[in-house]
Amino acid sequence: MTKTPAGNCDVCVVGGAGHVGIALALVLADSGFKTLILDINKAALETIAAGRLPFFEEGGEALLEKVLAGGGLAFSSDAKSVAQATFVVVTIGTPIDEFHNPEVSNLTRCFDELMPYLRDDQTILLRSTVAPGTTTYIDNYLRDRGKKTRLAFCPERVVQGKGIAEIRALPQLISGTSPEAVVAAKKLFGEIALEVVEMLPLEAEFAKLVCNAFRYIQFAATNQLYMMVEAAGLNYVGLLAKMKRHYPRMESIPGPGFTAGPCLMKDTMQLFAFQKHDFILGQVAMTINEGLPNFIVERLARQFDLRKTRVGILGMAFKAESDDIRDSLSYKLGKLLRFHGAQVFYSDEYAKDPTFVSKEELIASSDVVIVGVAHNAYRQLQIPARIEVVDLWSVLPAKERS
Ligand SMILES: NC(=O)c1ccc[n+]([C@@H]2O[C@H](COP(=O)([O-])OP(=O)(O)OC[C@H]3O[C@@H](n4cnc5c(N)ncnc54)[C@H](O)[C@@H]3O)[C@@H](O)[C@H]2O)c1
């Protein structure tokens, strides 16, 4: 890839200090693209420029050190700097509102900020997860304001925390609102991804949402079966192990657990809104997954006087080996328990919060311990026999309990 003239950059990653943006920015910089991280979060920019990442990303800090030393990474919080780039990748958050509808205003606000500085010879690659039809909407938004800037949609499909490895190892979906946009997107991702798969913008929008909604529904299926089997007095994880033994057709059934975080529910709801609120499977999946903490609390409330019970939640991140607490169901569980009068303690191995206690302190102070997320650090944890344990994931060494 030919480098742009001195003082300019090849790629500007808008939202580059976020989870999706930083992994891509590091991979691009490492692949020889002069990369500019443009983000409104100045504190995160300062942290990254100082050689640290604001959150966990596998191999991230080592790669950051390398690209900073090579001078391939620059930082800005000024929208004006977008003018320096040949490619503009947009990775900002795309939340849903309180009625579960996509918030397009986040994107339009971002484009309003960039608009005065966008050039017709640039290519924008929209990478945030968007509702079906959003790429066309943004394309019209640009054209209505006199911009000829090319627009591509290339969704991110990596697992959070492993982005650096997966961007290089997975096929990249490519789409654009013009053949020129597709050619430009292929040129960029062709340099870093295993392969590129070309599709229409609407296909690419659905592809990303279907991936996440399908996973969300799969987890809901196992979570509902968990509640049924456990309510019948059996151990669901034990049942799964016996049921799956030498039985390939059941290999893909996932274990139970809190299913949350910033993507799976939001993206299922984007399809729900698109389908005019007639996406029964998605809707039911949300009811089941979001209802799991209620199931746990109701069972405990039958067993204990929660007003006199101290409950410790081990793991506040939304998934294992992550420090990301966004939309974690451990917090919903904690709120429900407190509402029932319980005294609640939180602990996590990666997420930092001055109100959290260590796992040892939590165990020493609790009558009930609930595993909120299956961090590896809990696998060897000895829990005294006097403590009631709720361990959906079967991460604790149950047999070794003393
Ligand atoms: N987190 C994931 O694992 C993941 C995976 C695939 C896709 N996605 C999608 O990627 C998008 C981003 O998710 P994320 O988890 O990285 O979010 P994030 O909140 O971690 O990062 C977004 C970044 O954008 C910045 N930002 C917001 N508005 C801006 C603006 N106007 N100009 C410049 N910067 C701005 C924020 O400061 C933040 O640093 C979402 O659409 C999400 O659904 C996320």
Side-chain angles (χ1 to χ4, degrees):
M1 167 73 49
T2 321
K3 289 275 171 73
T4 47
N8 288 357
C9 66
D10 298 304
V11 192
C12 171
V13 182
V14 182
H19 291 79
V20 162
I22 189 67
L24 180 68
L26 291 175
V27 169
L28 286 167
D30 191 41
S31 305
F33 293 98
K34 199 167 175 204
T35 304
L36 173 73
I37 293 183
L38 171 61
D39 204 294
I40 52 174
N41 187 340
K42 289 184 186 170
L45 289 180
E46 278 168 25
T47 304
I48 299 167
R52 283 173 289 115
L53 290 185
F55 36 74
F56 178 75
E57 177 66 40
E58 215 170 274
E61 291 201 342
L63 191 56
L64 176 62
E65 191 185 335
K66 183 180 168 201
V67 298
L68 282 176
L73 204 55
F75 304 89
S76 173
S77 57
D78 186 349
K80 213 181 282 171
S81 52
V82 75
Q84 302 171 17
T86 307
F87 296 96
V88 179
V89 187
V90 176
T91 65
I92 68 165
T94 47
I96 49 172
D97 66 17
E98 65 271 44
F99 307 107
H100 296 156
N101 294 308
E103 282 258 31
V104 192
S105 60
N106 261 32
L107 278 175
T108 51
R109 213 175 311 123
C110 175
F111 277 100
D112 287 342
E113 287 157 14
L114 302 177
M115 201 72 74
Y117 315 107
L118 289 175
R119 300 191 321 259
D120 290 347
D121 61 345
Q122 290 174 308
T123 303
I124 299 169
L125 296 96
L126 185 56
R127 189 155 179 78
S128 306
T129 305
V130 297
T134 306
T135 308
T136 301
Y137 177 83
I138 295 295
D139 195 63
N140 291 334
Y141 199 80
L142 290 166
R143 309 303 156 231
D144 290 348
R145 284 152 187 79
K147 292 290 171 190
K148 296 195 177 87
T149 317
R150 293 177 286 271
L151 180 66
F153 175 62
C154 309
E156 174 68 88
R157 291 192 300 165
V158 303
V159 161
Q160 189 172 307
K162 296 184 187 299
I164 291 168
E166 289 201 354
I167 287 169
R168 292 173 161 137
L170 296 179
Q172 174 62 50
L173 307 182
I174 298 280
S175 71
T177 57
S178 65
E180 295 77 22
V182 174
V183 169
K186 268 169 129 171
K187 202 168 161 187
L188 184 70
F189 279 111
E191 297 264 340
I192 56 170
L194 175 73
E195 60 172 311
V196 295
V197 181
E198 213 179 302
M199 47 177 64
L200 299 170
L202 190 61
E203 283 181 310
E205 289 163 346
F206 267 113
K208 170 65 198 178
L209 295 171
V210 167
C211 286
N212 277 358
F214 189 74
R215 274 164 56 74
Y216 194 62
I217 291 165
Q218 271 187 319
F219 290 130
T222 204
N223 280 339
Q224 174 138 67
L225 294 166
Y226 163 83
M227 290 187 257
M228 187 190 294
V229 170
E230 293 276 329
L234 299 177
N235 177 282
Y236 181 67
V237 174
L239 177 76
L240 280 189
K242 291 175 192 169
M243 199 180 85
K244 289 168 84 162
R245 191 174 156 76
H246 298 154
Y247 194 65
R249 275 192 291 283
M250 279 293 107
E251 253 165 26
S252 62
I253 186 169
F258 289 156
T259 307
C263 291
L264 295 190
M265 198 260 260
K266 166 188 75 99
D267 292 344
T268 306
M269 290 304 108
Q270 300 216 55
L271 287 180
F272 179 63
F274 173 81
Q275 196 56 20
K276 313 282 185 295
H277 298 172
D278 183 16
F279 175 30
I280 300 286
L281 266 179
Q283 190 182 359
V284 170
M286 181 181 72
T287 311
I288 295 165
N289 287 330
E290 289 288 309
L292 197 48
N294 301 71
F295 173 81
I296 292 170
V297 174
E298 278 161 28
R299 292 192 88 192
L300 287 174
R302 281 201 291 273
Q303 218 178 328
F304 297 91
D305 177 355
L306 287 178
R307 291 179 55 77
K308 294 181 186 144
T309 307
R310 299 166 304 164
V311 185
I313 303 179
L314 274 178
M316 301 307 294
F318 85 84
K319 66 172 187 170
E321 305 310 300
S322 167
D323 58 358
D324 194 347
I325 57 164
R326 291 180 295 172
D327 298 318
S328 161
L329 283 175
S330 291
Y331 286 89
K332 181 173 185 173
L333 177 66
K335 273 188 210 161
L336 286 169
L337 287 162
R338 288 196 175 115
F339 188 70
H340 280 73
Q343 191 182 350
V344 184
F345 306 101
Y346 292 163
S347 177
D348 197 90
E349 294 307 295
Y350 304 100
K352 300 285 171 244
D353 185 313
T355 67
F356 289 1
V357 296
S358 70
K359 54 183 178 299
E360 292 78 15
E361 213 177 325
L362 181 138
I363 291 165
S365 327
S366 299
D367 307 306
V368 177
V369 166
I370 305 175
V371 180
V373 70
H375 288 322
N376 281 329
Y378 305 147
R379 292 194 188 279
Q380 306 302 325
L381 213 51
Q382 296 300 314
I383 311 273
R386 67 165 181 85
I387 295 178
E388 175 72 17
V389 171
V390 181
D391 179 10
L392 279 79
W393 328 79
S394 283
V395 63
L396 296 170
K399 279 186 193 147
E400 294 168 31
R401 279 184 66 196
S402 55

